[in-house]
Amino acid sequence: MITIEQLKDVKERTDALRRYLDIDGKKIQVEEEQLRTQAPGFWDDQKRAEAQMKLVKSIQKWIDGYNEVKTMSDELELAFDFYKEELVTEAEVDAGYAKTLSAIESLELQNMLREEADQMSCVLKINSGAGGTESQDWASMLMRMYLHYAEAHGYKATISNYQDGDEAGIKTCTIQIEGDYSYGYLKGENGVHRLVRVSPYNAQGKRMTSFASVFVTPLVDDTIEVEIVQAAISWDTFRSGGAGGQNVNKVESGVRLRYQYKDPYTGAEEEILIENTETRDQPKNKDNALRMLRSILYDKELQHRLAEQAKVEAGKKKIEWGSQIRSYVFDDRRVKDHRTGFQTADVNGVMDGKIDGFIKAYLMEFSNEGGA
């Protein structure tokens, strides 16, 4: 049975959320923004109108989220009083407490996602490291982990590129994960993931170390302006391999986009290579590849802004996006994040997509200070 102190903590955190999220201010703001949607000729500029509707929806979502937490908090207080009169059971009160606490923590966590891109969907790319079959198998395990995470959180996951490994696993895959705040939650997965296990591919049963890299970028939509230099684009087509099936393999439906990118800030040049084998329709694959290019270019601009912001703020910790971030040690039953120190013995749970503890620890340590 929960204590009066636990109930008091729930009430205090609920009241604090009202202040942190500025719910009273957001109610005024959403009314003002809704009025703009009623202006004559509002839908004449469809892209602008859609952006405005998206803004209204995003503000209203904070209000609805808080109202849900407030209702659950009030109902928990009632249930606590009813228990004294034997109108509800101890189990019912405890279940209400667990549900309310989960809702509060979820909203508190979302409040840490304040950057422009945080509320977007994302593109997650996995590349196997050096080490052949062992690393390729590890890359496929990470792909499964993120697909399970997406499914558990109600996100739509689409594999837009997939290349089989030589003997097992995958060489690379790209997953579009669509849903509110999927980028904000998964951005901390950027980096190198290290596996230590007794390899099933080693005849001597030796303990092996494998690496795979994960890259996460925001998935931009048509409301985000991104400049693409058409003259810098070239295309190749190829026969898709891997999970596409026989129909895909028979025709050159796969597309390879090459973009000669020049950094506007440093002048450095690089080739951006994007492959898409999502459908058997080549024009659709081209559209998807262009959308990914826009996401990558947007992310480059975003990373530049974050780097400039970090210089100004001289943050207490340096985040190396390309560095080793997490170790998965199977025989020791341990998964540890090297940035936050968060670890768990539930290796099977983690590989089944239960990575919320790592995500929460990352956001609590590295999200910016300040209001919502």
Side-chain angles (χ1 to χ4, degrees), residues 88 118 125 282 304 358:
V88 297
D118 283 345
K125 184 176 182 179
Q282 193 182 95
H304 170 75
F358 294 100

Side-chain angles (χ1 to χ4, degrees), residues 136-304:
Q136 290 165 13
D137 187 45
W138 174 226
S140 71
M141 292 165 72
L142 287 174
M143 179 183 76
R144 177 182 177 276
M145 181 181 83
Y146 290 119
L147 289 174
H148 276 260
Y149 172 84
E151 182 182 6
H153 289 78
Y155 293 139
K156 178 186 175 185
T158 306
I159 298 175
S160 56
N161 186 47
Y162 180 101
Q163 292 183 26
D164 277 321
D166 296 322
E167 296 178 27
I170 59 170
K171 291 179 179 178
T172 183
C173 77
T174 305
I175 310 169
Q176 291 185 25
I177 301 178
E178 298 177 67
D180 291 342
Y181 292 95
S182 65
Y183 174 72
Y185 287 124
L186 288 170
K187 63 183 180 182
E189 296 300 299
N190 259 311
V192 176
H193 295 243
R194 171 177 172 258
L195 168 68
V196 181
R197 68 169 174 175
V198 175
S199 172
Y201 302 101
N202 185 281
Q204 287 77 38
K206 289 183 178 178
R207 205 178 196 221
M208 304 282 285
T209 300
S210 308
F211 298 92
S213 55
V214 175
F215 303 91
V216 186
T217 55
L219 180 62
V220 300
D221 57 27
D222 292 338
T223 64
I224 304 291
E225 295 294 335
V226 176
E227 183 181 355
I228 294 178
V229 180
Q230 294 299 322
I233 294 178
S234 62
W235 294 95
D236 300 322
T237 59
F238 60 92
R239 292 182 181 178
S240 303
Q246 289 185 346
N247 287 326
V248 175
N249 293 335
K250 286 178 183 175
V251 295
E252 291 199 346
S253 57
V255 298
R256 185 179 293 112
L257 184 160
R258 300 180 189 274
Y259 186 79
Q260 305 306 317
Y261 172 74
K262 184 173 182 179
D263 191 305
Y265 301 101
T266 67
E269 297 184 7
E270 67 171 299
E271 181 181 77
I272 296 173
L273 180 66
I274 299 168
E275 293 183 342
N276 192 284
T277 57
E278 186 175 340
T279 72
R280 66 186 68 175
D281 184 329
Q282 193 182 95
K284 283 184 180 178
N285 287 343
K286 281 192 171 184
D287 288 343
N288 290 334
L290 282 169
R291 188 181 184 193
M292 283 186 212
L293 175 62
R294 293 175 69 239
S295 295
I296 290 170
L297 295 178
Y298 176 82
D299 186 60
K300 284 184 177 293
E301 174 63 26
L302 182 68
Q303 296 306 323
H304 170 75

